Amino acid sequence: IPASRFKDFLGDAPALRRALPERPYRQSRLGTAFHSWVEQRSGIVGAGVSLEDALWDDDDANPAADVPSASTPADLAQLQERFLASEWASLRPLEVETEIDVTIDDALGDGRAHVVICKLDAVYRRGDRIEIVDWKTGRAPRTAAEREERMIQLRLYREAYHARHGIPREQIDVVLFYVAEGLILRD
């Protein structure tokens, strides 16, 4: 289960448990271009696009409101400007586009263990703390319920990083950065 879609699996929609890939929408392609730019700018080679990216990493897309079309260079330039004005622009990440798979026992209440695929956009060291940042190019959550759904992904990232590196959970900060809006959400 991709961490970015884990919230969908917690609901009562059985069809989501076997979701099929959708056509890539403009926002998804723009997000992919932005992530690639940030990765190249870091000077660190990440894992790149994985099968999970192609099939699942479209949680910022809104098919009902977003007609498939090519994103423009101006759209990407706007996101790049926002990033360059962010607190992360001058920092060098420890890791980019790192995939960590973590097994969670009975995460869905079905009595089975599930592998959660966590694709960490960027990991930074901030003093004695680790900070995991997930770049979002879509719409930020508008309600408390939407915000809480997004925090599930961050908590999974924290758990995955702890499992791989043994760093205490309380020393791992997790952040969503909604680039287009300049909005930072921390858990």
Side-chain angles (χ1 to χ4, degrees):
I1 303 170
S4 63
R5 298 293 301 259
F6 191 80
K7 67 185 183 313
D8 299 332
F9 288 81
L10 294 176
D12 293 328
L16 287 173
R17 295 185 194 276
R18 295 189 190 269
L20 297 174
E22 299 175 0
R23 276 176 64 184
Y25 288 84
R26 179 192 158 282
Q27 191 63 41
S28 296
R29 288 193 302 270
L30 179 59
T32 299
F34 175 75
H35 279 75
S36 293
W37 176 80
V38 173
E39 180 181 355
Q40 290 172 359
R41 187 179 180 281
S42 76
I44 300 173
V45 177
V49 177
S50 70
L51 178 60
E52 287 77 22
D53 293 331
L55 296 177
W56 297 102
D57 200 15
D58 64 347
D59 69 327
D60 289 333
N62 180 357
D66 199 6
V67 178
S69 66
S71 57
T72 67
D75 295 332
L76 181 57
Q78 181 183 27
L79 293 177
Q80 291 169 337
E81 286 177 29
R82 289 282 174 110
F83 175 83
L84 293 172
S86 78
E87 64 188 77
W88 296 281
S90 64
L91 302 178
R92 179 162 167 82
L94 298 172
E95 302 175 46
V96 295
E97 300 300 326
T98 299
E99 186 173 298
I100 303 174
D101 299 344
V102 63
T103 301
I104 300 178
D105 293 329
D106 200 23
L108 303 178
D110 58 4
R112 301 181 322 176
H114 295 274
V115 175
V116 178
I117 303 161
C118 298
K119 184 81 176 267
L120 312 182
D121 292 345
V123 179
Y124 297 91
R125 177 165 301 284
R126 298 267 191 133
D128 63 345
R129 305 187 65 77
I130 292 295
E131 182 176 65
I132 300 169
V133 183
D134 191 51
W135 317 119
K136 295 292 190 187
T137 56
R139 180 182 68 84
R142 302 292 186 231
T143 67
E146 287 179 353
R147 185 184 191 284
E148 183 58 28
E149 284 180 349
R150 302 311 193 287
M151 292 300 114
I152 292 169
Q153 180 180 355
L154 292 181
R155 292 174 192 137
L156 289 167
Y157 287 0
R158 178 183 287 128
E159 186 61 33
Y161 204 81
H162 162 75
R164 173 170 285 172
H165 297 287
I167 294 172
R169 291 173 190 87
E170 60 274 5
Q171 291 180 335
I172 303 172
D173 299 319
V174 286
V175 179
L176 293 174
F177 179 41
Y178 286 87
V179 184
E181 299 176 41
L183 177 66
I184 298 168
L185 297 178
R186 298 179 189 275
D187 183 59

